[in-house]
Amino acid sequence: MARLFGTDGVRGLANADLSPELALSLAVAAAHTLPDSDREQPPLVVVGRDPRASGEMLEAAVVAGLASAGANVVRVGVLPTPGVAYLTAEVRADFGVMISASHNPMPDNGIKFFAAGGHKLTDEQEDAIEAALGATWTRPTGAQVGRVHDLLDGAEHYTTHLVQATGHPLAGLKVVVDCAHGAASDVAPEAFREAGAEVIAINAEPDGLNINDECGATHLGPLKAAVVEHGAHLGIAVDGDADRCLAVDASGAEVDGDQIMAILALAMRDAGALANDTLVATVMSNLGLRIAMREAGITLVETKVGDRYVLEELRAGGFSLGGEQSGHVVFTEHATTGDGVLTGLRLLARVAQTGKPLAELAAVVNRLPQVLINVRVADKAVARAPEILAAVAAAEAQLHGSGRVLLRPSGTEQLVRVMVEAASEDIAQKIAEDIAADVRAASPAV
């Protein structure tokens, strides 16, 4: 049977793959497995959601499941995923629940859990929840049934935390903030204003149906146009649950997660706040980031793709900064998960502190052309076949250290992803197509 949990919780088409019945069952199973078994008080659980319409239905199911299992629930309403993680730690809850499908389109939704302290679950904790689904249990009655309360000032607490973590006042900067009609539509503009910036908010009117709809971190076109139109110093875009952030400079040019991480790593190193002078990133980060960090004397530690693996490495190594090319950035001093609003605030703080435009700061990373081809295969193990490994080795020898080749089986689809970086787009494209053809021939899709 396929594992229910994916790389970021349980996700699917709302009211189909992800039904209220499943949401309720997941909540009950989490209430039975995540709190310490020897605790004397009823578990306390924080529950938040993004504004997609199905979130109302799924929140009701989750809250009902938790209360029926004897857990007390604190509802925080519509808040970014990192806001729910922050409040889970702040109120010392046993765990937290976020109902969101992040950057996915509106019809999808998801349920992700945070352990005590606001940390993502381990594989073992997720497996325990799955194993508890449908298990026989004794229902509490009377005074033992859980109670439900609303935390009306949760957004204010989270916003205050963001502003305090910004690090430098943003006075004199004009910023366009694209909220993706998502969970940060209120919090993000307010946090930037309180930190001192002049703010133009766009796509900040969620109606339950328009989240991520041609806007936000997955569609930068509206942000690029607005920055140029308003003559802003830069623009910031988050996704539907605001756990990731991308930027554009004053000309409307994109600044990706690798460039953002480089800017922030240098800022933290200069402030003596970059633990062990180390940045954690995934294997998908551009070679240009690796070169920039090496030249700056900063160690780059690589992980598998997925912010959970970045988080695991940050905690294991005691590091303070890590993230992904897609814009998930984690500051362990201030957050337990990727926080798009905090990332944007810290990026603006570096611009304000240095007096340099974002384009100049981002130029520290010379991004090599990167080509990605997805190859549908019968067996994803072909990525490790001797003849494919030999083809990759030959291609890397051809690049003479000026690029790299990465083959990665997809975690969710019957695909092998072929990624090539090279000094020119043409070279990268040619090598990627040749290796993709070898993979396709070695394991043709059925």
Side-chain angles (χ1 to χ4, degrees), residues 303-328:
T303 74
K304 294 189 290 185
V305 175
D307 64 330
R308 66 182 301 168
Y309 300 112
V310 173
L311 286 160
E312 288 174 4
E313 186 63 37
L314 286 168
R315 295 182 70 183
F319 304 127
S320 54
L321 181 67
E324 295 187 282
Q325 189 182 57
S326 60
H328 289 105

Side-chain angles (χ1 to χ4, degrees), residues 49-231:
R49 62 181 177 88
D50 73 24
R52 55 189 90 212
S54 60
E56 301 160 1
M57 167 189 73
L58 294 172
E59 178 191 58
V62 166
V63 170
L66 293 170
S68 74
N72 292 326
V73 179
V74 176
R75 278 189 308 214
V76 298
V78 174
L79 264 187
T81 290
V84 173
Y86 169 75
L87 291 173
T88 297
E90 188 73 2
V91 305
R92 298 183 180 179
D94 291 86
F95 64 95
V97 185
M98 178 65 185
I99 300 162
S100 174
S102 190
H103 59 279
N104 282 29
M106 181 278 297
D108 290 347
N109 216 323
I111 298 175
K112 64 182 79 176
F113 295 92
F114 292 102
H119 298 284
K120 289 199 173 187
L121 302 190
T122 63
D123 288 341
E124 291 74 21
Q125 288 173 310
E126 291 178 347
D127 290 343
I129 292 174
E130 287 201 31
L133 287 172
T136 302
W137 57 290
T138 302
R139 295 177 177 273
T141 58
Q144 278 67 54
V145 172
R147 305 299 299 273
V148 182
H149 305 277
D150 291 314
L151 184 64
L152 300 179
D153 59 354
E156 287 79 1
H157 280 286
Y158 174 54
T159 301
T160 298
H161 159 71
L162 290 171
V163 175
Q164 290 175 345
T166 300
H168 193 282
L170 308 183
L173 292 180
K174 180 191 289 189
V175 61
V176 178
V177 180
D178 187 339
C179 303
H181 294 306
S185 293
D186 291 331
V187 166
E190 183 62 24
F192 281 95
R193 289 190 185 104
E194 288 190 18
E198 179 185 348
V199 179
I200 296 102
I202 64 173
N203 301 312
E205 299 176 349
D207 61 11
L209 306 177
N210 57 3
I211 187 169
N212 298 319
D213 187 10
E214 299 296 321
C215 59
T218 55
H219 300 88
L220 292 177
L223 179 64
K224 294 177 179 180
V227 166
V228 173
E229 176 188 350
H230 292 282

Side-chain angles (χ1 to χ4, degrees), residues 411-426:
T412 57
E413 300 176 86
Q414 201 63 26
L415 301 172
V416 169
R417 307 191 194 280
V418 180
M419 191 274 284
V420 178
E421 290 172 343
S424 76
E425 183 86 21
D426 290 344

